[in-house]
Amino acid sequence: ELELVESGGDSVQAGGSLRLSCVASGYMYSDADRKCMAWFRQAPGKEREGVAAISSDDSFTTFYTNSVKGRFTISQDNDKRTVYLQMNSLKPEDTAMYYCAAVWGRCGVGWASYNYNVWGQGTQVTVSS
């Protein structure tokens, strides 16, 4: 059974940087190429929002929501078991609980609406002005 564990959340000042990590375990290595991995976030009183996604096939195709383009970068290790979210130029509106999610298959333009069936426990990011 696939499991995801996030880490790296912290409290920072506006303009600062953080790197979130998501470690995947519990699946066969031969399935490593078949995942769409994504980061979502949810702030208090707001709906969950897709932040970024990356395909675990050889294309390493990435997708971002407009509000983080140019500031956030999603990447993964060569073994495709760890996904990162590098967050630069953080803003107070980036404050949220950040979740890692996975679904079997390749990411596409509709990645934010996929039925992700595996979620991590979340890691809190707080950005103060």
Side-chain angles (χ1 to χ4, degrees), residues 8-99:
D10 205 344
S11 296
V12 297
Q13 291 192 330
S17 298
L18 285 174
R19 189 176 80 159
L20 306 183
S21 299
C22 171
V23 179
S25 63
Y27 62 96
M28 296 292 292
Y29 183 77
S30 59
D31 291 335
D33 291 345
R34 297 177 55 237
K35 304 187 310 300
C36 174
M37 301 291 296
W39 286 96
F40 286 80
R41 65 186 180 186
Q42 188 165 22
K46 294 188 177 181
E47 292 187 356
R48 187 174 62 198
E49 173 190 29
V51 177
I54 186 167
S55 284
S56 293
D57 59 15
D58 289 341
S59 72
F60 280 43
T61 304
T62 58
F63 299 87
Y64 298 91
T65 192
N66 286 339
S67 63
V68 306
K69 285 181 179 177
R71 300 189 298 122
F72 291 10
T73 303
I74 189 170
S75 62
Q76 61 185 341
D77 279 350
N78 288 336
D79 65 3
K80 303 175 182 178
R81 289 185 179 271
T82 304
V83 174
Y84 303 99
L85 185 68
Q86 177 66 44
M87 305 186 296
N88 299 327
S89 302
L90 282 161
K91 304 175 181 180
E93 51 264 43
D94 294 318
T95 295
M97 184 71 79
Y98 283 70
Y99 298 91

